[in-house]
Each structure stands twice: as C-alpha cells, then as structure tokens.
C-alpha cells in the first residue's frame, strides 16, 4: 500500500529513516514515499492530516491529538541539553526583554520551552536555517536555534544566553522532548502496529549501521562535515528515540500539560 512519510530535512530525521528509505529492511508490503519539509511547515500541514506518518513538534501535538497518535519510535528527546537561545552580543536573560527574538515557528517545541523559560518575549518568525545568519548579520539581537545550528553558533562568534535543555533538566529533572513521529488515527489498527514496529527497527538498524546512516544523512546536514553530523545524530538519536520509556513520556506530558497517546513499536 502507498504510505507517505513526511519528515524534516534535519540530519537526525534522515538518519533514523535511512533503513526505510534505502531498502535495508523488509518493508512488509508498504510502498513508502518520502516528503521532506521544514518542521514548522509539517506542523501546519498536519492539521489537515495529509500524510500517513509525519514528523511533528511535540508543541504541535495538542492541536493534532484528534487525528494523530504518537509513535514511540523516532522521538527527539535529549537529556540536559537542547535548543539554545543565542545573541549577537553577550546578553543576560533579563536583557531579552528589550529585543526581538527570531524563532523557527510558533508550534515548535523549542518555542514552547522558551515560553516556559521566559514568558512574554517579543518574537518574529524566521526560517530555522536563517536564524543563525540573521543574528550574526545584525537583523536580530537574539535567536532560538534548533537542529544542527545548535552546534555551530560559536563558530559565527555568537553567544549563548540559555541552553533550554539544561534549564529544563535543572527545573524539573527530566529530558527535554522536541519532536516525534505521528501516525494517522484513522488507519487500521494492524497497519499502525506494523508500521510502529518497522519504525522501531529502522531506528535500531540506523544505530547499528551508524556510518552508513550518517553518509545518507549528510546530504541533509546543511554544510556540516561527517564528524559533526556523527556527533549530532548520536546526541539526538539515542535510547529515547528507540522508546521514550517512562521518563520520556513523563517529559512530554510535563511539557505539554496533557497526557499524550502513543502507539508502541
């Protein structure tokens, strides 16, 4: 059966999808088609449920809970680090009250975490892959970085204001959940269960064949070399990605303020 999987052009998304995309495993009759768009576009498109499976920000899940369920496999959850608020000049957190912060999307989990950290900041939407450059060039004094730019901002002479993952860990003792894969609720239960199992196996196989999965994901890495992509995907494709477990699920519920519905892989 034709089955569309939508994910972001982030290298960790590509990495965990490599076994499915490259035919490393039996697809059990699924005919996979892949759509790759930035995460805020996918968050918005998911409101119309056009894809059988889509990557979403956990921050978008409350709007999607009537049409999508979360898959346990494929989550981006990290312990003690996460999206970063950065600035062109050294700034204390209190200084952000006087500037506009460039953010990647209103539905992103990073923005939700930033609002929990410091409510009421003035923000402006900027494509995620332009935020670092926009701050470096002086269009904004501060920005909220997601994806690989979290590892690259110091190379542009930018300054860390806050690591939201470190703040979240200190505040509530949990890992910070960013995004996951969601499957349409209206699909047959056996189809959802079969895909959930395939997704888990894909994540496990990508980790087993790390170098090959990194090579595939490098085309999605936006200028990162192999070593940096390897570091990035090892950080974000972790044990929580195979299954969030009790702490990962508790972190999602804590961030969203509701109990999420999962399909076990």
């Amino acid at each position: 059966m034709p089955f569309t999987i939508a994910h972001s052009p982030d290298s960790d998304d590509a990495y965990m999808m490599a076994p499915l995309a490259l035919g490393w495993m039996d697809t059990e009759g699924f005919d996979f088609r892949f759509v790759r768009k930035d995460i805020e576009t996918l968050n918005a498109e998911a409101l119309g449920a056009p894809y059988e499976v889509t990557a979403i920000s956990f921050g978008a899940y409350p709007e999607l809970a009537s049409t999508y369920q979360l898959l346990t496999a494929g989550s981006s959850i990290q312990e003690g680090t996460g999206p970063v608020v950065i600035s062109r000049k050294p700034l204390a957190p209190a200084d952000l009250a006087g500037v506009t912060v460039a953010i990647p999307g209103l539905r992103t989990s990073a923005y939700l975490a930033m609002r929990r950290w410091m409510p009421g900041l003035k923000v402006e939407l900027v494509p995620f892959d332009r935020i670092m450059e926009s701050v470096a060039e002086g269009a904004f004094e501060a920005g909220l970085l997601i994806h690989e730019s979290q590892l690259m901002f110091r190379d542009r002479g930018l300054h860390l204001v806050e690591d939201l993952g470190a703040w979240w860990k200190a505040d509530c003792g949990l890992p910070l959940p960013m995004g996951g894969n969601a499957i349409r609720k209206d699909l047959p239960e056996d189809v959802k269960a079969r895909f959930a199992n395939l997704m888990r196996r894909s994540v496990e196989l990508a980790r087993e064949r790390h170098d090959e999965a990194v090579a595939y994901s490098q085309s999605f890495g936006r200028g990162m070399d192999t070593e940096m992509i390897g570091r990035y995907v090892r950080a974000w494709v972790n044990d929580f990605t195979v299954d969030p477990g009790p702490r990962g699920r508790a972190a999602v519920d804590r961030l969203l303020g509701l109990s999420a519905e999962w399909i076990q892989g």
Side-chain angles (χ1 to χ4, degrees):
M1 60 181 292
F3 200 90
T4 301
I5 301 173
H7 66 82
S8 82
D10 191 15
S11 53
D12 66 319
D13 275 10
Y15 177 93
M16 70 178 75
M17 293 295 179
L20 293 176
L22 298 177
W24 295 354
M25 52 193 292
D26 181 359
T27 60
E28 299 183 11
F30 287 100
D31 178 14
F32 291 124
R33 306 271 156 113
F34 292 88
V35 171
R36 299 173 182 91
K37 299 182 181 181
D38 71 273
I39 192 62
E40 186 65 353
T41 297
L42 292 180
N43 288 335
E45 288 185 345
L47 296 171
Y51 308 119
E52 282 80 14
V53 168
T54 184
I56 63 167
S57 299
F58 285 125
Y61 174 77
E63 296 179 84
L64 305 173
S66 63
T67 51
Y68 280 98
Q69 292 168 276
L70 296 173
L71 292 162
T72 51
S75 296
S76 295
I77 302 174
Q78 196 171 158
E79 188 92 48
T81 189
V84 292
V85 181
I86 54 91
S87 59
R88 189 169 62 89
K89 300 180 294 185
L91 294 178
D95 297 329
L96 294 177
V99 305
T100 298
V101 181
I103 67 165
L106 295 173
R107 292 185 175 93
T108 61
S109 305
Y111 178 53
L112 175 57
M114 190 178 81
R115 294 201 329 263
R116 295 287 183 86
W117 170 64
M118 188 170 290
L121 294 178
K122 184 178 179 182
V123 300
E124 187 170 326
L125 297 179
V126 175
F128 78 93
D129 55 355
R130 284 291 305 152
I131 291 177
M132 183 169 63
E133 296 301 322
S134 295
V135 175
E137 293 166 1
F140 296 91
E141 288 299 314
L144 174 61
L145 300 183
I146 60 174
H147 298 336
E148 299 96 340
S149 55
Q150 297 166 218
L151 300 181
M152 303 168 73
F153 69 91
R154 288 188 174 88
D155 295 338
R156 295 304 313 271
L158 301 175
H159 303 272
L160 178 68
V161 180
E162 185 65 72
D163 182 322
L164 294 175
W167 163 77
W168 180 256
K169 173 76 171 179
D171 184 67
C172 63
L174 291 169
L176 181 60
M178 285 289 100
N181 293 317
I183 190 166
R184 276 208 333 244
K185 277 188 170 182
D186 63 354
L187 294 171
E189 293 300 320
D190 67 310
V191 170
K192 290 189 286 188
R194 281 168 51 217
F195 181 79
N197 185 56
L198 282 174
M199 188 68 243
R200 179 184 181 121
R201 285 163 50 201
S202 186
V203 173
E204 292 172 335
L205 188 55
R207 298 178 82 191
E208 290 171 14
R209 297 173 63 169
H210 173 77
D211 290 343
E212 295 167 90
V214 166
Y216 172 71
S217 65
Q218 187 163 15
S219 63
F220 302 85
R222 294 179 288 277
M224 297 172 70
D225 61 26
T226 301
E227 188 275 333
M228 185 173 285
I229 290 175
R231 284 198 293 123
Y232 180 76
V233 298
R234 282 194 188 280
W236 282 103
V237 183
N238 52 38
D239 290 346
F240 290 121
T241 313
V242 178
D243 190 308
R247 292 186 69 248
R249 296 184 196 208
V252 173
D253 292 351
R254 177 72 175 266
L255 182 67
L256 300 182
L258 55 81
S259 182
E261 185 178 357
W262 301 82
I263 294 289
Q264 182 70 46

